[in-house]
Amino acid sequence: MATATYRLRALLTWTVLAAAILLPLAAAAASPLLQWRQPVYIAAGFAGVIAMTLLLLQPLLAGGMMPGLAGLRGRRIHRWTGGLLVAVVVVHVAGLWITSPPDVIDALVFRSPTPFSPWGVIAMWAVFAAALLAVLRRRLPPRIWRRAHMALAAVIVSGSVVHALLIEGTMETWTKAGLCALVVAATVKVLAYPRSRTRRRRQTG
């Protein structure tokens, strides 16, 4: 009975996760704003959408909340997914650079008139910093590394979500909002868990 319940929960979890990832991608692919756009621009836009879906996977993998991917396996995939996140962010920025270098320069130096630009730039640098931190993991004390990694994760998610919500572009409004809400919820759950565990220890100690 317990095995059947676990399998049902696993099936529901993977179904919801697949819907959360595929629906925004499908809605973006059907966007009328893609008409007459250059392939490089479309690739850059979809790289941004993929980056948002990866931000949903990252906390779930780190927190061991994906059925069948807990423990060491989940953490290993978390590292690979982090590398993929860096790659799609580079593709996103590079594609926008090819289509409009002045706009990218204005964004990077925080003088762009668009309100979503600074949030995206902050999230981008936080992604790169998190990747560098991952490379240096063995050289840092575990507690310091963990706190720095969690802080960067919070910056990445906050910046990315605000960046995505402020843009009226490829992503469809409701599927984008739903994905962003799930990203925030998953991240908050993982980041808050150590605090909750510490609080329970203090209460029982």
Side-chain angles (χ1 to χ4, degrees), residues 1 4 8-9 18 24 36 42 55 60 66 72 85-86 96 119 130 152 155 160 162 172 194 198 205:
M1 184 66 178
L8 178 60
R9 290 180 60 183
W36 316 113
I42 295 175
L55 288 182
L60 297 177
M66 296 178 65
L72 182 61
L85 177 60
V86 173
L96 295 177
W119 296 99
L152 287 171
V155 173
S160 299
V162 175
E172 187 271 333
T198 301

Side-chain angles (χ1 to χ4, degrees), residues 181-193:
L182 290 174
V183 169
V184 171
T187 304
V188 169
K189 181 176 178 60
V190 172
L191 295 183
Y193 174 72

